[in-house]
Amino acid sequence: MKIGVYVNKNRDFGAESALKFMGIAEAKGVQIILATGVEEFVNIKAYSLDEVAQNCDILVVFGGDGTMLSVARRVVKYDIALLGVNKGKLGFLTECEDTDFENLIDRLIAQDFNIEKRAMLNVSVGGKNYLALNEVSLSRLMSKRTIDISISVDGGICDIVTGDGVIVSTPTGSTAYAMSCGGAILSPSVKAIGVTAICPHSLNSRPMVVGDESKLCLKVQNCNTSDIVVCVDGESIVLDESNCIEIKVEKSECFAKLIRLNNNNFYSKLIQKMSGWNKLG
């Protein structure tokens, strides 16, 4: 069995957890293929993430939810399943902690796990396409003015939001930025797309849930690109000032594949994670 390993060294300091995992896995006859980024902590050859994803059976990611989002988008074209080891704070997308690698590796070898498919969005901005596992947000940057954003679904305008912006999210992303803005929480099994206004200056702008076959378009009506920021899964996109500020969003044909060791109820996990977050706060 070949297991790829990706480490966010800003989360797994000194790659301590990853080194422990790799040592136990290799002792059990597993071949480890390490992604670049932590060469100063290891004495084995490292490869680009693309090379790792093409040559392993499973990719184990050491980091937090942000790391999982980034890696999932980069390797989705290789149809590889990801297992997240939580080294962050919340850990919605990660599956386990670093407390029992012996049992974890035995289960991976025995293929004693399920694979959960997570919907992704295809986002078109200025003629360029991006993939989102969580969301795309269109919001004002430093301007003190509110912005007006028209929201079209399947060609028909359904709302014009005056406020700080709009978030379009997958069910996975419904528990992220969208939830913070009062959006609906969706189970990953729901075939839908969430649309949530950011601080709307209106009594009638409310979160919407549309079918996942819908095609959405967000268009800014009263700002230029210097006042706007577009983020895909938290990463900013550089806008071309020659282009109209318009974002087209639809369901992608790609799915992120996440390894699940336990058949945890989504809502039970939600309560557990949110309670933990509140305590940390």
Side-chain angles (χ1 to χ4, degrees):
M1 185 179 198
K2 298 178 181 179
I3 294 181
V5 174
Y6 178 89
V7 186
N8 180 347
K9 64 181 179 182
N10 295 318
R11 291 296 186 183
D12 186 10
F13 301 111
E16 291 184 4
S17 293
L19 285 169
K20 180 180 177 183
F21 173 88
M22 290 189 291
I24 296 173
E26 288 177 331
K28 292 178 179 288
V30 174
Q31 181 180 346
I32 295 294
I33 308 175
L34 179 66
T36 57
V38 288
E39 289 87 341
E40 66 264 43
F41 307 119
V42 299
N43 57 3
I44 65 173
K45 185 177 179 180
Y47 302 85
S48 70
L49 182 57
D50 289 273
E51 291 176 297
V52 173
Q54 290 179 71
N55 292 285
C56 66
D57 302 307
I58 293 168
L59 180 58
V60 179
V61 179
F62 289 81
D65 286 339
T67 309
M68 287 290 288
L69 289 172
S70 176
V71 172
R73 294 199 312 274
R74 292 169 62 186
V75 305
V76 66
K77 59 186 175 183
Y78 301 114
D79 197 35
I80 187 74
L82 310 181
L83 173 70
V85 179
N86 186 29
K87 301 301 294 183
K89 294 180 179 178
L90 200 52
F92 264 121
L93 296 178
T94 56
E95 178 63 7
C96 58
E97 307 295 328
D98 58 358
T99 53
D100 187 6
F101 284 148
E102 289 276 356
N103 179 59
L104 170 61
I105 294 165
D106 286 341
R107 293 189 62 178
L108 293 180
I109 293 172
Q111 298 187 22
D112 180 19
F113 55 80
N114 297 314
I115 294 179
E116 181 179 74
K117 288 186 175 181
R118 293 292 185 95
M120 303 183 79
L121 298 175
N122 186 59
V123 181
S124 177
V125 186
K128 296 181 179 180
N129 293 321
Y130 306 86
L131 279 175
L133 177 53
N134 259 4
E135 80 275 305
V136 55
S137 64
L138 170 60
S139 58
R140 66 188 181 101
L141 191 55
M142 299 299 292
S143 173
K144 295 180 180 179
R145 299 174 54 195
T146 58
I147 55 177
D148 298 331
I149 303 173
S150 66
I151 303 172
S152 298
V153 178
D154 295 328
I157 292 181
C158 60
D159 196 5
I160 297 178
V161 172
T162 297
D164 286 356
V166 172
I167 304 164
V168 179
S169 61
T170 64
T172 298
S174 72
T175 56
Y177 190 10
M179 184 182 71
S180 300
C181 294
I185 293 175
L186 305 175
S187 166
S189 63
V190 175
K191 296 181 178 180
I193 297 173
V195 183
T196 308
I198 305 171
C199 298
H201 195 224
S202 170
L203 293 177
N204 66 342
S205 289
R206 292 290 178 264
M208 296 185 295
V209 177
V210 301
D212 69 346
E213 296 299 328
S214 301
K215 299 182 186 299
L216 294 89
C217 180
L218 308 181
K219 189 171 182 180
V220 177
Q221 299 188 336
N222 65 333
C223 284
N224 55 48
T225 53
S226 62
D227 296 323
I228 297 296
V229 60
V230 176
C231 291
V232 175
D233 284 350
E235 296 184 9
S236 299
I237 294 173
V238 177
L239 298 175
D240 185 343
E241 292 189 10
S242 65
N243 290 313
C244 173
I245 308 174
E246 183 178 83
I247 300 177
K248 295 181 180 179
V249 187
E250 61 183 327
K251 182 183 71 173
S252 172
E253 295 181 355
C254 300
F255 289 87
K257 297 171 69 175
L258 305 182
I259 289 175
R260 294 304 186 212
L261 301 170
N262 304 301
N263 294 319
N264 290 332
N265 179 277
F266 166 74
Y267 298 100
S268 297
K269 185 174 184 179
L270 175 68
I271 292 172
Q272 175 193 6
K273 294 294 183 179
M274 286 294 97
S275 299
W277 182 256
N278 290 336
K279 290 177 183 177
L280 286 173

